[in-house]
Amino acid sequence: MTTHTYGPGPIKGYDIGPIPMEAAFTSDFPLAAGIGAADVQDIVDKQEVERRVMDVRTGMYAKYMPSRIDEVAGRHYTGGRYLFETWADVVDYERFTSQELEFEPGVKFWSRPFFQDVERFVWRVAGAHNFLPLDAHHVSRFERFRYEGDGEAALERAWGTVRDEAGARGLAAVWLLHQPEQRLIGLHTVATGLTPADLEAAPSLGALLPASLAPERYFDRSSRILSLWLPKSRLAGGAPSAYTSAPLLPLPSVAAQEV
């Protein structure tokens, strides 16, 4: 099979500043036991091929694919953090991946046996901002909080404070998400030049969430960014994906032709 190595290439179409997206999608799960550091190249190859079917969905801005390997527990944790232009776009993506998409005949995407205990959510975006170019996005932290009361207006008011503090800390990006139906808050922070342990040890921006909501954090995971899917760059003639943790994590070797 002819192969082509994807380098980081020029990333086009992504600006520093506010990200005008209305919706987000996240997933988190461990891979089946035994899929560890030695299998990262295979994972990179597989997801790069599958990207060609998935990143063409309407409204996708970008996907961050996290990678956190717990050598003690022997588990590899991954998932995705996506932004979409509209709520209709993210609902359609959730429907497509859960009800239609099959890479193995007869097996829906989220029912693959090597995906374990998948948690996935659709979110509304209170605010999102890039402080640094995407090729400087190396590690990410995703936190989920439960809250009480009416959170939408309170979180939109708090967004400016969260954004400004993220910028003051030198972070690469920050997203503030909410799920009013389940009373959940999502906080996605991205950093440059750090390890996951560094980012996880930093004080959480969750301290800036409105006290009136009584936010309770119940999920917190920092990870290297295994890959970035970049549909806007692809459409602009730039890199379709990027591997900002390379050479710490491998670049993919995949079939040259695009689908």
Side-chain angles (χ1 to χ4, degrees), residues 26 119-121 123 142-147 179 182-186 215-221:
T26 65
E119 296 181 290
R120 63 185 195 271
F121 300 91
W123 305 85
F142 188 56
E143 302 166 81
R144 295 199 304 262
F145 303 79
R146 298 184 181 93
Y147 71 89
Q179 226 291 0
Q182 299 184 55
R183 287 192 168 84
L184 298 178
I185 298 167
E216 175 190 6
R217 185 173 64 187
Y218 73 99
F219 181 91
D220 184 4
R221 183 173 297 153

Side-chain angles (χ1 to χ4, degrees), residues 8-21 51 55-57 59-64 81-85 128-137 172-173 175 227-242 244:
I11 297 175
K12 300 181 179 180
Y14 292 87
D15 298 322
I16 294 173
I19 308 171
M21 298 290 123
R51 171 195 63 76
D55 83 344
V56 297
R57 302 304 296 183
M60 187 189 295
Y61 169 84
K63 174 194 174 181
Y64 292 71
R81 292 78 172 89
Y82 308 70
L83 287 176
F84 287 86
E85 290 182 8
H129 195 100
N130 283 330
F131 298 100
L132 296 176
L134 269 65
D135 58 6
H137 292 203
W175 309 349
S227 69
L228 283 169
W229 293 3
L230 305 168
K232 289 172 64 67
S233 179
R234 173 177 54 77
L235 291 170
S241 53
T244 58

Side-chain angles (χ1 to χ4, degrees), residues 12-251:
K12 300 181 179 180
Y14 292 87
D15 298 322
I16 294 173
I19 308 171
M21 298 290 123
E22 294 180 359
F25 179 88
T26 65
S27 64
D28 287 280
F29 52 91
L31 295 172
I35 302 177
D39 303 290
V40 169
Q41 180 67 65
D42 289 341
I43 294 166
V44 168
D45 292 351
K46 191 177 188 70
Q47 65 85 41
E48 175 61 22
V49 172
E50 294 177 357
R51 171 195 63 76
R52 301 168 183 180
V53 176
M54 300 173 76
D55 83 344
V56 297
R57 302 304 296 183
T58 300
M60 187 189 295
Y61 169 84
K63 174 194 174 181
Y64 292 71
M65 184 178 180
S67 175
R68 173 71 175 258
I69 298 174
D70 185 335
E71 299 288 0
V72 174
R75 305 305 297 272
H76 187 171
Y77 295 91
T78 185
R81 292 78 172 89
Y82 308 70
L83 287 176
F84 287 86
E85 290 182 8
T86 70
W87 181 252
D89 294 337
V90 78
V91 169
D92 180 67
Y93 187 77
E94 204 286 331
R95 180 201 57 77
F96 169 70
T97 55
S98 61
Q99 299 179 25
E100 293 184 20
L101 182 61
E102 296 180 359
F103 288 110
E104 299 84 26
V107 181
K108 296 295 187 286
F109 182 75
W110 296 114
S111 298
R112 299 168 115 178
F114 48 91
F115 289 0
Q116 306 275 295
D117 303 319
V118 176
E119 296 181 290
R120 63 185 195 271
F121 300 91
V122 293
W123 305 85
R124 300 184 187 276
V125 177
H129 195 100
N130 283 330
F131 298 100
L132 296 176
L134 269 65
D135 58 6
H137 292 203
H138 299 145
V139 297
S140 68
R141 181 179 188 177
F142 188 56
E143 302 166 81
R144 295 199 304 262
F145 303 79
R146 298 184 181 93
Y147 71 89
E148 300 175 1
D150 182 3
E152 184 168 2
L155 289 170
E156 289 179 354
R157 290 193 298 270
W159 163 241
T161 301
V162 172
R163 178 201 60 217
D164 292 350
E165 178 61 20
R169 293 186 188 185
L171 291 175
V174 62
W175 309 349
L176 181 58
L177 315 175
H178 61 98
Q179 226 291 0
E181 292 78 12
Q182 299 184 55
R183 287 192 168 84
L184 298 178
I185 298 167
L187 186 57
H188 182 230
T189 50
V190 182
T192 187
L194 299 178
T195 68
D198 294 332
L199 187 56
E200 203 164 73
S204 170
L205 292 173
L208 301 176
L209 296 175
S212 61
L213 300 179
E216 175 190 6
R217 185 173 64 187
Y218 73 99
F219 181 91
D220 184 4
R221 183 173 297 153
S222 296
S223 312
R224 296 196 185 279
I225 296 169
L226 182 60
S227 69
L228 283 169
W229 293 3
L230 305 168
K232 289 172 64 67
S233 179
R234 173 177 54 77
L235 291 170
S241 53
Y243 299 84
T244 58
S245 287
L248 296 173
L249 294 172
L251 295 172

